[in-house]
Amino acid sequence: MKRLGGKVAWVTGSSRGIGAAIARLFAREGALVAVHGRDPEALSAVHAEIEKEGGRAIAVAGDLTKFAEVEAIRQQIERDLGAIDILVANAGGSFTAPGPLEDITEDGWRASVEGNLTATFLTIKSVLPGMKARKAGTILTMSSSAARRPNPRSPVPYAAAKAGIQILTQHLATQVGPFGIRVNAIAPETILTEKNKQWISEPMQQQLIEAHPIRRLGTPEDVAQAALFLASEEASWITGVILDVTGGAVMV
Ligand SMILES: NC(=O)c1ccc[n+]([C@@H]2O[C@H](COP(=O)([O-])OP(=O)(O)OC[C@H]3O[C@@H](n4cnc5c(N)ncnc54)[C@H](OP(=O)(O)O)[C@@H]3O)[C@@H](O)[C@H]2O)c1
């Protein structure tokens, strides 16, 4: 029995990294997946992988910081796959380097807030009227361990934007619970995505591993398994949770 059989899932930022792992796993579990990002080549690659495995997916491109584009993407998904049951608002990233607050540029600050908090808000705003009308749905947001405690390795604007996503998640969970909609967040520690592998050297990896009670770094699949649980019926009484997926790193 597939855990997401027949559900329509929009996974934002699934052209690569954590989002791609979530899209692949959801498709394996029977979801009809909207693979989304901005890079057409990366999008087609994930789309092709899913179809090769026998899953069903479409690829949709667009920038989530513009509400008109978000609406166009949602409408395309609804036209091609049907009403959205699951939104994984995963797209985001850090747009500035770690360091003292006074060195952060205004553009760097705005990019971090727009690319994480605003993009998450606009995506949820777009799917919510449909979910409320149907009195069903589940929404996952993507925070970060950067928002769980001050860490000199995290850029301040990124941490602040992700902290904003956490309270947005919990606030929304209280608003939409009565409509049968669950809203939860995942907060991963550094994940060994293809992108991160390019800049985290072997010695740095060893150093990071020592900071994890479970002595390894996380993979995109670790985060995907957490997302699958929260999106599935097994989590039907769980809402407003910020789930740390960190190998225990966030508590030490
Ligand atoms: N990797 C980690 O260590 C880690 C740890 C904690 C939290 N997270 C969070 O997990 C999420 C995924 O991270 P990742 O490492 O997998 O990122 P990634 O490899 O950089 O991929 C980011 C994805 O988001 C898309 N995206 C970014 N901004 C977008 C926008 N404005 N509009 C549309 N699409 C946009 C990208 O699309 P294109 O590339 O196609 O443009 C890509 O598909 C992010 O929210 C990140 O902050 C990551």
Side-chain angles (χ1 to χ4, degrees):
M1 173 75 175
K2 300 208 169 182
R3 290 164 74 184
L4 303 179
K7 300 279 183 195
V8 173
W10 177 12
V11 185
T12 74
S14 48
S15 58
R16 64 187 87 248
I18 292 171
I22 295 173
R24 285 191 295 261
L25 183 61
F26 279 23
R28 256 178 251 138
E29 287 294 339
L32 315 180
V33 180
V35 181
H36 160 266
R38 294 166 301 189
D39 172 355
E41 258 181 51
L43 269 178
S44 317
V46 178
H47 182 224
E49 267 181 84
I50 290 176
E51 294 218 315
K52 199 171 157 205
E53 281 194 17
R56 187 162 161 221
I58 58 165
V60 276
D63 182 353
L64 301 179
T65 62
K66 311 269 184 307
F67 192 55
E69 282 194 41
V70 177
E71 285 279 87
I73 297 165
R74 177 187 55 78
Q75 285 160 9
Q76 188 188 337
I77 297 169
E78 288 178 345
R79 214 171 35 241
D80 293 352
L81 295 179
I84 296 166
D85 301 296
I86 302 167
L87 168 68
V88 184
N90 160 77
S94 60
F95 299 89
T96 58
L101 190 101
E102 67 273 23
D103 293 348
I104 298 161
T105 64
E106 183 182 342
D107 284 350
W109 176 271
R110 290 191 190 282
S112 301
V113 174
E114 288 274 302
N116 290 284
L117 184 56
T118 306
T120 298
F121 157 67
L122 293 178
T123 314
I124 294 173
K125 179 177 163 65
S126 181
V127 301
L128 215 46
M131 286 186 176
K132 279 174 99 167
R134 293 186 297 279
K135 291 202 178 307
T138 182
I139 297 171
L140 296 183
T141 60
M142 197 55 72
S143 181
S144 163
S145 61
R148 302 302 266 164
R149 77 294 197 225
N151 179 337
R153 286 190 296 105
S154 304
V156 176
Y158 175 70
K162 291 298 195 186
I165 288 175
Q166 292 182 178
I167 194 65
L168 179 154
T169 301
Q170 292 183 315
H171 206 104
L172 186 64
T174 66
Q175 284 189 359
V176 300
F179 292 86
I181 303 167
R182 298 184 300 105
V183 195
N184 291 294
I186 298 176
E189 177 55 70
T190 306
I191 297 296
L192 269 186
T193 56
E194 289 307 315
K195 227 186 216 180
N196 278 349
K197 279 184 195 163
Q198 285 168 21
W199 69 269
I200 307 178
S201 63
E202 273 295 325
M204 208 195 287
Q205 281 192 33
Q206 280 312 315
Q207 220 181 331
L208 285 174
I209 286 169
E210 290 306 310
H212 289 65
I214 294 179
R215 288 284 195 267
R216 68 172 176 83
L217 295 185
T219 64
E221 290 70 30
D222 288 319
V223 183
Q225 290 292 347
L228 173 62
F229 169 65
L230 287 174
S232 72
E233 272 306 301
E234 284 93 334
S236 65
W237 213 49
I238 298 178
T239 197
V241 154
I242 316 292
L243 183 60
D244 295 313
V245 181
T246 69
V250 81
M251 58 173 186
V252 292

